[in-house]
Amino acid sequence: MTVRPLTITRKFALPVLLSIGLAGLQGCDSGSESSSTETESTTTAAQDISNAVFTERSADCADYVNTYEASALDIQNSLAFSAAVEITATETECTFVSNSVPNHDFNDETAAFAGGAEGATISEIDTTLTVTRSPAIAAESTAISQELKNAIFLNGVKLDIISAGCYSPEDPDAGADGTVGIGCQSDNEWLLDPLGTTHKFGADAHNAHTQPEGLYHYHGSPLAMYDDSPSSEGSPVIGFAADGFPVYGPYFYDSASGSVRKALSGYSLKTTSRGTQSTTIPYNPGGTPDGTYNNDWEFTDAGDLDACNGMTVDGQYGYYVTDTYPWVIKCLSGTPDDSFGSTGGPGGPGGPGGPPPGV
């Protein structure tokens, strides 16, 4: 099996960005078919994807087999980091190995990374995740949780939408608004949406921050790897969800209108009050839904995307980055790989055992 060379062209819509067609694998002939345990060939030279804008739209993770590297700067601390990502594949699955360093600069002046003290930065943390090459819509969707990482982007950084913050006014660490940033379970009724809060949980311009040990991870669109000048087909693949389905940037080709446009979320803010405020158990923040809490939103099918934030375009199902909640993924339409963590049982929007979203 051979690997075709990468194609690289300059992009001028954003400063110093590369438009990269990530390595696509040519088909094997009948005399060179590999066994299910053999790893497909990779190029020997690492591809530099520093501040890259990708172009490939293949939904097969094996078409991205290669070794990648990048240079990134911690802006606040003026520290240089080197990202390392390797993608390998067998006939049935792909494995992503990375050091969790992004391919872009991070920790700009808007961020407040974990640790609280000046100098808080990321740590290089080895990550190994596996996705299937043959994803399928499951009988039941799987809820994302704190225990189940949502996706791995092609730059080797995880997507981890769910926070551990909530409305818990009796907690000694609660702020003036009664919320805490850590210590709440995934099923808490008033779990905070990081990107719905004013402080964004200390996230930087790429909607990412660090866990206490320094793991850099996204809570929404990475605002990287794609731009606002998509191809005639739409945004590129920027990663793969835990169930193996691709994650695209925000744009798709809308055959109904004959235009390329952003995908719209099917979630809307609830129009009724949260209820009467209660500062004792059972807690209730009260007030009007404004997006601060996950529970402020409900699926109304008002957009293009299903309850998991995905849709089928030209026969291919995938998740799309959106400008509003749930940002990238709300639940998993397929079956997640065990390498992404514990599922805690099935159930997407609507509760455990919920039906799969319409596709």
Side-chain angles (χ1 to χ4, degrees):
M1 179 170 286
T2 57
V3 178
R4 68 171 180 258
L6 298 179
T7 56
I8 301 176
T9 58
R10 290 288 180 181
K11 295 285 282 189
F12 298 100
L14 294 174
V16 200
L17 293 183
L18 297 177
S19 177
I20 296 180
L22 293 174
L25 298 177
Q26 295 177 344
C28 300
D29 60 34
S30 59
S32 62
E33 185 172 347
S34 62
S35 72
S36 61
T37 58
E38 291 178 333
T39 300
E40 294 175 354
S41 302
T42 65
T43 58
T44 55
Q47 171 67 62
D48 185 355
I49 58 171
S50 302
N51 296 309
V53 172
F54 303 147
T55 61
E56 293 289 341
R57 288 180 47 81
S58 171
D60 184 356
C61 57
D63 285 340
Y64 305 91
V65 165
N66 210 336
T67 300
Y68 304 100
E69 63 183 13
S71 298
L73 177 70
D74 177 332
I75 296 172
Q76 287 197 40
N77 296 301
S78 299
L79 295 174
F81 285 82
S82 296
V85 187
E86 183 180 23
I87 305 174
T88 58
T90 68
E91 286 189 346
T92 59
E93 62 188 23
C94 296
T95 298
F96 292 71
V97 178
S98 80
N99 65 353
S100 304
V101 175
N103 68 322
H104 53 76
D105 295 348
F106 57 92
N107 196 21
D108 60 279
E109 63 278 1
T110 67
F113 282 4
E118 183 179 354
T121 188
I122 69 171
S123 298
E124 293 187 18
I125 296 178
D126 293 337
T127 295
T128 300
L129 295 169
T130 298
V131 298
T132 179
R133 290 181 63 183
S134 303
I137 300 296
E140 297 177 341
S141 59
T142 298
I144 58 175
S145 68
Q146 296 157 358
E147 296 75 32
L148 177 65
K149 306 312 174 189
N150 316 148
I152 180 72
F153 286 115
L154 294 176
N155 65 357
V157 178
K158 297 176 186 176
L159 174 69
D160 191 7
I161 294 282
I162 300 295
S163 80
C166 69
Y167 182 70
S168 184
E170 293 183 299
D171 190 298
D173 293 326
D177 61 358
T179 66
V180 293
I182 197 169
C184 307
Q185 300 301 308
S186 297
D187 60 355
N188 188 288
E189 183 178 8
W190 301 111
L191 207 65
L192 291 165
D193 172 25
L195 302 189
T197 63
T198 56
H199 51 73
K200 292 177 54 178
F201 277 56
D204 62 14
H206 293 277
N207 294 318
H209 66 174
T210 57
Q211 292 175 346
E213 73 275 19
L215 177 67
Y216 188 78
H217 60 284
Y218 300 106
H219 276 283
S221 168
L223 295 174
M225 297 172 279
Y226 70 87
D227 62 14
D228 287 321
S229 300
S231 73
S232 60
E233 297 177 287
S235 293
V237 168
I238 59 173
F240 287 86
D243 58 10
F245 284 113
V247 178
Y248 297 93
Y251 293 91
F252 76 104
Y253 176 73
D254 179 9
S255 59
S257 65
S259 63
V260 174
R261 63 175 178 84
K262 286 185 175 183
L264 299 177
S265 165
Y267 283 82
S268 304
L269 282 172
K270 293 178 180 177
T271 57
T272 57
S273 170
R274 298 180 185 126
T276 302
Q277 184 179 26
S278 174
T279 57
T280 58
I281 297 175
Y283 301 133
N284 188 316
T288 302
D290 59 4
T292 299
Y293 304 95
N294 293 339
N295 201 35
D296 283 349
W297 299 89
E298 61 183 345
F299 183 70
T300 60
D301 204 13
D304 306 298
L305 305 176
D306 62 30
C308 288
N309 221 46
M311 66 176 167
T312 299
V313 177
D314 290 334
Q316 178 59 57
Y317 184 83
Y319 304 99
Y320 286 78
V321 168
T322 50
D323 289 339
T324 59
Y325 186 89
W327 312 114
V328 186
I329 294 173
K330 175 65 176 177
C331 55
L332 295 168
S333 297
T335 303
D337 188 85
D338 290 343
S339 63
F340 283 79
S342 171
T343 65
V359 295

